[in-house]
Amino acid sequence: MLNMKSHIKSLLGLIVAASMFTVLPAHSTEVIKLATTTSTENSGLLKELLPKFESESGYKVQVIATGTGKALKLGEQGDVDLVMTHAPSAEAKFVADGFGVEPRGIMENDFVVLGPKNDPAKIRDSKNAEEAFAKIAKSGVPFISRGDNSGNHIKELEVWKAASVTPDFKGYTSVGQGMGKTLLMANEMQGYTLSDRGTFVAYKTKLDLGVDFDGGKTLANPYQVILINSAKYPDLNHKGAKAFSDWLISKEGQSMINNFKVDGEQLFKATYSE
């Protein structure tokens, strides 16, 4: 009789365990490792998107927010399942070298040149970003660079090159920090800096800086999501990464990107098209 009771107890335990398992979402214990830029984190966009995706999919997204260069390096090393970055030339090389697959343009915003509200370098009437940068270099007013091989830093260096300016002039300071800290340093020094618009809007209430120049093709800021090549790293969570990439380009994901606002201002424009 004792053995029978033990058997029934064990059987009931299995039934309860099975019933609990069936109500858990699929992949409930699986983690997706995402390397992305500080702008998607600082702006608050990921905090808006991820809870919805996680509740619908059962996956948990672990975010590593860093500069684009470091994010792509993590992908090259197989330390993450996918990347979301904003440096087209670096991303193209990442794919060409066989580390990334299925690059998808998901959204864009733009870069803005921030500076003191009295615009001491007189860049507001510049014809383009290159002219604005050249004026800053000649003005002696500080320019604070992220200096961290991020998408922002890569864009900044591209503009200096196009302006035929070597960024070693008096007042140029490379800080090796993320966008948020760079903005705070530029604010303290009342200097110029290049920022993605999303992070600027998120930090605007903390800053006594304004947008002294924006617009033009040069300052466009497109974002891509790229999967890590399964042929190089077969043990990564490729299924989860693909699920997240698919969700970002879905009608729901694109709508949430478009509708994300800070203080009533839209920060990103969804751009995916078949």
Side-chain angles (χ1 to χ4, degrees), residues 39-266:
S39 59
T40 58
E41 179 83 351
N42 290 341
S43 65
L45 178 67
L46 289 179
K47 291 180 182 178
E48 181 79 5
L49 299 181
L50 294 185
K52 186 68 172 176
F53 168 74
E54 291 174 343
S55 68
E56 292 179 357
S57 69
Y59 287 108
K60 177 70 176 177
V61 181
Q62 178 184 335
V63 177
I64 301 99
T66 183
T68 285
K70 291 181 181 178
L72 294 176
K73 189 66 176 179
L74 289 171
E76 290 178 7
Q77 296 169 344
D79 293 327
V80 294
D81 303 308
L82 76 168
V83 297
M84 185 194 303
T85 50
H86 62 140
S89 58
E91 292 157 4
K93 185 177 187 301
F94 180 72
V95 173
D97 288 346
F99 295 106
V101 296
E102 292 191 48
R104 290 164 160 174
I106 56 170
M107 62 187 182
E108 66 179 20
N109 64 5
D110 62 343
F111 291 104
V112 293
V113 185
L114 304 177
K117 292 180 179 178
N118 65 343
D119 186 24
K122 309 302 180 187
I123 69 172
R124 288 178 190 156
D125 61 351
S126 300
K127 296 177 182 177
N128 51 46
E130 294 87 344
E131 182 180 333
F133 270 44
K135 288 180 178 179
I136 293 170
K138 292 178 182 178
S139 71
V141 180
F143 184 97
I144 313 304
S145 168
R146 281 182 61 166
D148 62 350
N149 197 31
S150 61
N152 177 285
H153 184 219
I154 291 170
K155 171 61 70 174
E156 178 212 316
L157 295 179
E158 289 174 353
V159 180
W160 288 125
K161 183 177 181 180
S164 300
V165 173
T166 301
D168 58 0
F169 52 86
K170 183 179 179 180
Y172 184 87
T173 303
S174 180
V175 296
Q177 297 290 335
M179 195 69 255
K181 289 183 179 180
T182 301
L183 288 178
L184 295 175
M185 290 183 184
N187 186 66
E188 183 177 345
M189 298 176 69
Q190 280 296 287
Y192 290 94
T193 192
L194 184 70
S195 173
D196 66 283
R197 189 181 294 272
T199 306
F200 167 62
V201 171
Y203 275 73
K204 189 158 54 174
T205 58
K206 303 175 184 178
L207 305 174
D208 186 28
L209 299 174
V211 176
D212 285 339
F213 185 85
D214 64 355
K217 185 177 180 181
T218 300
L219 297 184
N221 185 25
Y223 288 75
Q224 289 194 99
V225 61
I226 308 174
L227 307 180
I228 307 304
N229 191 346
S230 60
K232 285 188 175 291
Y233 296 105
D235 296 330
L236 296 179
N237 186 1
H238 298 290
K239 188 175 180 180
K242 180 69 161 55
F244 185 46
S245 177
D246 288 347
W247 185 84
L248 286 170
I249 66 167
S250 70
K251 184 176 180 180
E252 180 180 36
Q254 291 282 283
S255 177
M256 288 188 69
I257 289 170
N258 266 336
N259 292 330
F260 176 66
K261 296 180 180 180
V262 173
D263 294 333
E265 184 171 345
Q266 180 179 348

